[in-house]
Amino acid sequence: MSGTDRGSSPTRRRLSCLAVVVAVLAPVAGGLVWLFQDELFHPFGDPRACDGSDSRLPKVISPGGVPIPADASDIHYATENGSARVSFLSSDVPDYLHRVGLVPEGEPLFDEAYGSAYGLGSDESELPEGLCGPALRGPAWTYAGRGQGPAVNVLVERSPIGSDTFRTPARVIALFDVRRARDAGAAERPRRGAAGWPSAEAPARSIGD
């Protein structure tokens, strides 16, 4: 065996060992990336938070000081300068509207004294700026906090078939002030429609208007 062959053998062995190590570590590294993908690719390591959010919401999100429904799923939120938009799916929307104080117990859910039709057709969908996840589908109904009422505005998907029911489950988008949500008993509440969505007395319009 020549000197060249003897010198190249250790090199080949080292390269072979290196290839084996890389082959073993690659799946491990990929598994770690998958395991910690929420922490790596979402603000604050929270998979519910949308890109650009500047503050983290608690595990139990409470727009207007009232927790969202226990069955809420597919939750997404965006925060900016003290305001928050939260999107979720729920089959328990009527109870939530009662608990948050937007519709009194025993009153019709679609009474225009408490809400109004939103400017979104049954074949349309829309998502507020900055919010991620699925868009809200039309038709929709908007509820606005008013006077000394709850500091939250809510959009809900209505059923495209019945005029007096919600989709099941329905996507809900709640807009609220994070600081006021931390103190549900605060005396100051936003004026009707002040949160950026139409009040019950305002003409229907699109989220992007």
Side-chain angles (χ1 to χ4, degrees):
M1 180 181 293
S2 68
T4 303
D5 291 338
R6 286 194 299 272
S8 61
S9 294
T11 301
R12 284 198 297 268
R13 284 196 294 270
R14 286 194 294 270
L15 290 175
S16 297
C17 291
L18 180 60
V20 171
V21 171
V22 170
V24 171
L25 292 180
V28 175
L32 290 174
V33 170
W34 179 85
L35 183 63
F36 295 103
Q37 60 181 323
D38 289 345
E39 286 72 17
L40 292 172
F41 303 120
H42 294 279
F44 327 113
D46 188 344
R48 305 171 303 169
C50 300
D51 289 344
S53 294
D54 60 11
S55 61
R56 181 173 186 169
L57 294 184
K59 182 177 180 180
V60 178
I61 300 175
S62 302
V66 177
I68 61 177
D71 74 339
S73 62
D74 197 16
I75 303 170
H76 305 272
Y77 71 77
T79 56
E80 182 180 9
N81 298 327
S83 67
R85 293 176 171 86
V86 178
S87 170
F88 60 88
L89 278 177
S90 175
S91 297
D92 202 17
V93 175
D95 177 70
Y96 173 68
L97 294 173
H98 295 322
R99 287 191 297 109
V100 81
L102 290 171
V103 180
E105 288 277 359
E107 294 297 321
L109 293 171
F110 299 103
D111 190 324
E112 292 191 353
Y114 310 111
S116 62
Y118 196 76
L120 205 58
S122 58
D123 58 345
E124 298 176 317
S125 62
E126 220 169 298
L127 192 66
E129 183 178 357
L131 194 58
C132 56
L136 183 136
R137 298 170 295 173
W141 195 262
T142 176
Y143 300 88
R146 58 187 69 189
Q148 296 300 309
V152 59
N153 282 2
V154 171
L155 279 173
V156 187
E157 293 178 334
R158 293 183 66 172
S159 169
I161 301 174
S163 61
D164 58 350
T165 60
F166 297 118
R167 289 181 185 267
T168 306
R171 181 157 296 280
V172 179
I173 297 179
L175 174 63
F176 63 103
D177 187 301
V178 176
R179 292 158 295 190
R180 288 176 182 166
R182 291 171 182 162
D183 183 11
E188 182 182 356
R189 300 296 185 185
R191 296 186 304 276
R192 182 178 299 184
W197 286 340
S199 71
E201 296 178 351
R205 64 173 175 81
S206 160
I207 294 174
D209 287 351

